[in-house]
Amino acid sequence: MNQDERLRHASSFGAAAAAYAEHRPDYAQAAVRWALEPAPGPRVLDLGAGTGKLTATLVALGADVIVVEPDPAMLTELRRSLPAVRALPGSAEAIPLPDASVDAVLAGNAMHWFDMAVAGPEIARVLAPGGILAGLWNVMDDHVEWVAGLARVGGSAAVGPRDTPAGWRAETAGAHLPKTGVAARFGSPEQVEFPHGQRRTADSLVATIATRAGVLVMPERQQEAMLGRIRAFLAGRPETAHGEFTLPMLTGVLRVRRL
């Protein structure tokens, strides 16, 4: 994906902010606890916070949270659902916080959109000494046969390279590194997966997939055809054809320490 395509995908979510807030999953609490475990204190920045899916988990765990989100529509949804959380407009490349003001920076399904040549120094700037940067990704467990079938039917726009366990490890192992000659600001990465799941119906799973960037940027006819194939697949599977089911997932975490 070139820079123009990356920006187009990254900026696509605002148009679907309400659907994103309704249908995207939260994050496994065990994954968030592990991400924060070595942090030197309780102050956490949720960076690229979207509508607050990760923020809500951080609040539930008692973290002292502040959020930064670039998209106004996403920020509006976050403020509506979590009015007590301090929420600021900004981006990974321009964080509106003082130096050494947080102990951990977490990013839920967002770090792959950051320009780490610029964002890396910014994140390092706002982290306290010994601070932690962690990216979290919710992935579908395609070790489950029907989930693997869904991935085949939907294609890479619906279930992309970061959306399955093997893929997310390969795609995110260097997510903390700049893609240019800028010096890295973080140490060696650790990657761990934690069991997770989301209660869905066939309709709500289709609605969830429709909030993915690759789907949002599709031409309308192509999008309708792809979502139609997914509906037909889910209607034909005994696991998903009738009422609610659990979508088998994992929350994958990449954790690094500020140098």
Side-chain angles (χ1 to χ4, degrees), residues 100 102-103 120-121 123-133 185-187 256-259:
V102 296
D103 301 298
I123 293 168
R125 178 185 66 78
V126 302
L127 277 171
I132 293 298
L133 168 64
R185 300 301 182 99
F186 304 96
V256 292
R257 189 184 293 273
R258 176 187 181 272
L259 294 176

Side-chain angles (χ1 to χ4, degrees), residues 34-50:
W34 184 83
L36 295 175
E37 188 178 41
R43 302 169 301 170
V44 181
L45 167 60
D46 184 357
L47 185 57

Side-chain angles (χ1 to χ4, degrees), residues 39-254:
R43 302 169 301 170
V44 181
L45 167 60
D46 184 357
L47 185 57
T51 62
K53 295 294 182 176
L54 176 57
T55 314
T57 305
L58 288 164
V59 169
L61 292 175
D64 178 10
V65 190
I66 184 169
V67 306
V68 169
E69 165 57 37
D71 189 279
M74 302 287 271
L75 197 58
T76 296
E77 287 291 332
L78 188 151
R79 287 169 169 160
R80 181 189 59 77
S81 62
L82 296 164
V85 174
R86 186 183 176 202
L88 303 175
S91 69
E93 296 77 19
I95 302 171
L97 294 179
D99 295 358
S101 56
V102 296
D103 301 298
V105 174
L106 268 59
N109 277 78
M111 194 187 294
H112 51 275
W113 302 124
F114 300 169
D115 177 0
M116 289 303 290
V118 181
E122 265 293 89
I123 293 168
R125 178 185 66 78
V126 302
L127 277 171
I132 293 298
L133 168 64
L136 296 91
W137 288 266
N138 279 321
V139 302
M140 296 184 187
D141 188 356
D142 63 349
H143 295 107
V144 178
E145 195 276 331
W146 76 260
V147 178
L150 174 66
R152 290 191 294 271
V153 169
S156 61
V159 184
R162 289 181 302 272
D163 297 329
T164 58
W168 92 263
R169 279 185 170 267
E171 289 288 321
T172 66
H176 60 296
L177 298 173
K179 292 181 173 60
T180 63
V182 178
R185 300 301 182 99
F186 304 96
S188 299
E190 302 171 271
Q191 287 178 296
V192 180
E193 299 160 2
F194 296 84
H196 197 29
Q198 184 187 28
R199 293 296 288 172
R200 296 282 80 185
T201 64
D203 285 344
S204 64
L205 180 51
V206 171
T208 303
I209 291 170
T211 67
R212 295 182 179 274
V215 180
L216 291 170
V217 301
M218 275 184 175
E220 186 175 355
R221 286 187 180 180
Q222 186 180 349
Q223 182 187 108
E224 289 176 355
M226 186 269 289
L227 294 176
R229 290 194 302 273
I230 292 174
R231 285 191 188 92
F233 172 81
L234 296 172
R237 293 290 311 202
E239 302 93 339
T240 58
H242 307 290
E244 281 197 337
F245 54 88
T246 297
L247 173 64
M249 298 170 61
L250 301 166
T251 297
V253 188
L254 168 79

